[in-house]
Amino acid sequence: METRELRYFVAVAEELHFGRAADRLGIAQPPLSRTIAQLEHRLGVALLARTSRRVSLTEAGAVLLAEARSILGAVAAAERRTRNVDRPSLVLAAKAGGSSELLAKLLDAYAAEPGAVAVDLLLCQAHAAQPLLDGRADVAILHEPFDSTAGLDVEPLHAESQFAIMSSSHPLAGAAGLRMADVIDLPELARWPEPDGTYLPGPGVEVHDLTQLFQMIALGRAVAVMPEVVRVGLLEGLVAVPVVDAPKVTTVIAWPPHSRSRAVADLVRVATGFS
Amino acid sequence: METRELRYFVAVAEELHFGRAADRLGIAQPPLSRTIAQLEHRLGVALLARTSRRVSLTEAGAVLLAEARSILGAVAAAERRTRNVDRPSLVLAAKAGGSSELLAKLLDAYAAEPGAVAVDLLLCQAHAAQPLLDGRADVAILHEPFDSTAGLDVEPLHAESQFAIMSSSHPLAGAAGLRMADVIDLPELARWPEPDGTYLPGPGVEVHDLTQLFQMIALGRAVAVMPEVVRVGLLEGLVAVPVVDAPKVTTVIAWPPHSRSRAVADLVRVATGFS
DNA sequence: TGGCAGCGATACCCGGCCGGTATCGATAGC
DNA sequence: GCTATCGATACCGGCCGGGTATCGCTGCCA
């Protein structure tokens, strides 16, 4: 399997339309059809079920799509890392609006190290693990269990418990403590996007950043379970009730396996040093 | 970057010799030279330093070698998983000579599950993580920190402390407890092979399996630090002394990220259930 | 129900790239 | 200084990837 074949397959699998996929790839449709057919022939499995009106993924196709995305990410990452090996610089990915205190401490401590290189910050709206997988970043600050650390090396930095954030007029606002069972079925529980940007179905409001979420909560339209940090600087009219049995949120520093970068190793050492 | 280019590069980087690499790849040497030169040109970095007598890896080349090996493993794994999607069967990798009790319990419990599929066992002499990365296995039982779980999803199953195993005539054999400092510098500390099959330099005897190790220990030629399990059924004349500050050995079940297999999910659930 | 539009497959052609052979140029060792 | 070794270069041929034209199928609509 060549990466060209994987790129072509991913395009078709995502568009579910040979014409549009060919367009996106900047080639004509016939060679695309032929390449996919060859790939299927070599694998001995049908990847796409085509009627002349509709294209859909087979089960094998779904498996290959997931694998291919990850492989193409790894290839892009490999190119970037190879190219940048002699220009030591570090891109650190973190979720925008996350704990800036930890970040500041980390950057300060690392900058004081002998042999420290320049650290560029990549602040992501969501899913800070993605740039790590596609090679745009070298290290990331992630939050388990929210971010998937699959395929990454990880060191825990800090664990904190979670709180239910709600309007002070909410029926549960007066409680001293809640259990997950009390909140998990609330119809106003906010929903975050999945890694692919879509939302799982459900009754709660769809949110994509903290500001929007807090406005929704203030309006009594949403409730969310969040780690402790958000309690400081909580808006007027919002309360945080501890959820005693919610899983601890662990802030971790993550980097791709086989990282050979001295800078990454230093940063990780510094980070774990003061946790 | 095409996988063909990566395969060629890995061959040259491993052989450090264009002729032998071309031979291994089943092509002539000139096209290989050309392909590597094109790859270097596109990346804008030198991957190999060549004199007309000797080829060596540059730093960029070393980075790409690690990345490329992992990518090629992922590609092979993707092919196998895609091909086998409709033949549900599970390959479980484990270290031969490891705790067969846990394995038996796990296999029994899983077999009792509704929808269980046949589980094939792949018993590895060493490094059970390798078949997981190259797609020969779907799940593995690994032991942290011995096995690298980089790039895998992992659930811990069991943790145990470590013991120094030595001949009963050894000077330290009478001790009630040891510290790592007491054993780490012993000249007879056995050495295990690295993932590439080579041994790090050092004074201790080189071993590659448990039987051999125990014989060496019984002869007073070796000492080793090992997890608790090996205490049961220890040979006559061997003693196990607890090493109080040795890192705990954690038995984990590991699987590749993006595994879409129902069977893997079931097996993991069963495994974590009775830990 | 027949015409039509949309879409993937097929047929066929062209050019570039991959792989082959022959050879060169450099260098380490004798 | 000769020679063997090894990577680079030159050059050629065939295959394959990509293009255009067209076919065949099918759902839609008048």
Side-chain angles (χ1 to χ4, degrees):
Chain A
M1 277 199 310
E2 293 303 311
T3 63
R4 184 183 62 91
E5 298 173 309
L6 294 179
R7 280 193 303 274
Y8 286 12
F9 172 69
V10 168
V12 179
E14 286 180 353
E15 300 285 345
L16 291 177
H17 190 293
F18 280 75
R20 278 197 300 274
D23 208 35
R24 182 171 125 185
L25 293 165
I27 62 170
Q29 168 259 318
L32 178 57
S33 287
R34 197 177 52 198
T35 302
I36 300 291
Q38 282 169 354
L39 181 60
E40 288 178 309
H41 184 73
R42 262 211 313 281
L43 288 172
V45 218
L47 301 170
L48 298 161
R50 324 129 156 87
T51 67
S52 68
R53 303 299 293 175
R54 182 178 243 86
V55 176
S56 59
L57 276 177
T58 64
E59 202 182 338
V63 169
L64 186 61
L65 176 57
E67 301 272 352
R69 279 187 176 132
S70 131
I71 289 171
L72 293 178
V75 169
E79 287 194 28
R80 176 181 161 280
R81 296 204 183 102
T82 305
R83 247 192 277 266
N84 292 352
V85 74
D86 46 336
R87 269 173 265 164
S89 97
L90 213 60
V91 178
L92 172 67
K95 200 166 288 182
S99 159
S100 53
E101 191 204 356
L102 175 70
L103 214 51
K105 255 173 62 185
L106 173 58
L107 293 179
D108 283 352
Y110 173 68
E113 282 284 302
V117 303
V119 177
D120 299 327
L121 264 182
L122 177 65
L123 293 175
C124 311
Q125 285 304 319
H127 303 296
Q130 188 51 45
L132 219 51
L133 296 172
D134 64 24
R136 281 178 295 149
D138 305 285
V139 217
I141 302 294
L142 302 179
H143 301 276
E144 287 185 319
F146 297 143
D147 296 306
S148 157
T149 54
L152 301 173
D153 276 5
V154 155
E155 281 292 338
L157 298 182
H158 177 63
E160 52 188 325
S161 30
Q162 296 199 71
F163 289 74
I165 315 292
M166 62 191 78
S167 157
S168 53
S169 60
H170 193 279
L172 294 176
L178 293 171
R179 305 190 73 85
M180 282 305 283
D182 301 324
V183 277
I184 199 73
D185 288 325
L186 287 179
E188 63 269 42
L189 195 67
R191 285 177 295 136
W192 293 96
E194 295 296 299
D196 59 6
T198 63
Y199 289 85
L200 294 178
V205 64
E206 297 175 352
V207 296
H208 64 264
D209 63 45
L210 278 181
T211 322
Q212 186 196 8
L213 172 65
F214 285 154
Q215 286 177 345
M216 287 296 185
I217 298 181
L219 293 166
R221 301 280 305 280
V223 165
V225 176
M226 309 224 65
E228 196 165 1
V229 266
V230 303
R231 283 179 80 193
V232 303
L234 210 54
L235 293 178
E236 190 76 18
L238 264 55
V239 294
V241 183
V243 182
V244 293
D245 62 346
K248 287 270 188 299
V249 173
T250 310
T251 303
V252 301
I253 186 165
W255 64 98
H258 354 273
S259 165
R260 296 175 57 92
S261 151
R262 159 100 195 290
V264 170
D266 284 348
L267 188 67
V268 170
R269 186 171 43 73
V270 168
T272 53
F274 63 63
S275 69
Chain B
M1 276 199 310
E2 292 304 311
T3 63
R4 184 183 61 90
E5 299 172 307
L6 294 179
R7 280 193 304 275
Y8 286 12
F9 172 70
V10 168
V12 179
E14 285 180 355
E15 300 284 346
L16 291 178
H17 190 293
F18 280 75
R20 277 196 302 274
D23 207 38
R24 183 171 125 185
L25 293 165
I27 63 171
Q29 169 258 320
L32 178 57
S33 286
R34 198 177 53 198
T35 303
I36 301 291
Q38 281 169 355
L39 182 59
E40 288 178 308
H41 184 73
R42 262 211 313 281
L43 288 173
V45 215
L47 301 171
L48 297 161
R50 324 132 158 85
T51 66
S52 67
R53 301 300 294 175
R54 181 177 243 85
V55 175
S56 59
L57 277 177
T58 64
E59 203 183 337
V63 169
L64 186 61
L65 176 58
E67 300 272 353
R69 278 186 177 132
S70 133
I71 289 171
L72 293 177
V75 169
E79 286 194 30
R80 175 181 163 282
R81 297 205 182 100
T82 306
R83 248 191 277 265
N84 291 352
V85 73
D86 47 336
R87 272 173 260 165
S89 96
L90 212 57
V91 178
L92 173 67
K95 199 165 290 183
S99 159
S100 52
E101 191 204 355
L102 175 72
L103 214 50
K105 255 173 63 185
L106 173 58
L107 293 179
D108 283 352
Y110 173 70
E113 283 283 301
V117 304
V119 177
D120 299 329
L121 264 183
L122 178 65
L123 292 174
C124 311
Q125 286 304 318
H127 303 294
Q130 188 50 43
L132 218 51
L133 295 172
D134 65 23
R136 281 178 295 149
D138 305 286
V139 215
I141 303 293
L142 303 180
H143 301 277
E144 287 183 319
F146 297 144
D147 297 306
S148 157
T149 54
L152 301 172
D153 275 5
V154 155
E155 280 292 337
L157 297 181
H158 178 60
E160 52 189 325
S161 26
Q162 297 200 69
F163 289 75
I165 315 293
M166 61 191 80
S167 157
S168 51
S169 60
H170 193 279
L172 294 176
L178 294 171
R179 307 190 71 84
M180 283 304 285
D182 301 325
V183 274
I184 199 73
D185 289 326
L186 287 178
E188 63 268 43
L189 194 66
R191 285 177 296 137
W192 293 96
E194 295 296 298
D196 59 7
T198 63
Y199 289 84
L200 293 180
V205 63
E206 296 177 354
V207 296
H208 64 265
D209 63 44
L210 277 180
T211 320
Q212 187 196 8
L213 172 66
F214 285 154
Q215 286 177 346
M216 287 295 183
I217 298 179
L219 293 168
R221 301 281 304 280
V223 165
V225 176
M226 311 226 63
E228 194 165 3
V229 267
V230 302
R231 283 180 78 193
V232 304
L234 211 54
L235 292 179
E236 190 77 18
L238 265 52
V239 293
V241 181
V243 182
V244 292
D245 62 345
K248 286 269 189 301
V249 174
T250 310
T251 304
V252 301
I253 184 165
W255 64 98
H258 357 270
S259 165
R260 296 175 56 90
S261 151
R262 159 100 195 291
V264 170
D266 284 349
L267 189 66
V268 170
R269 186 171 43 73
V270 168
T272 53
F274 62 63
S275 69

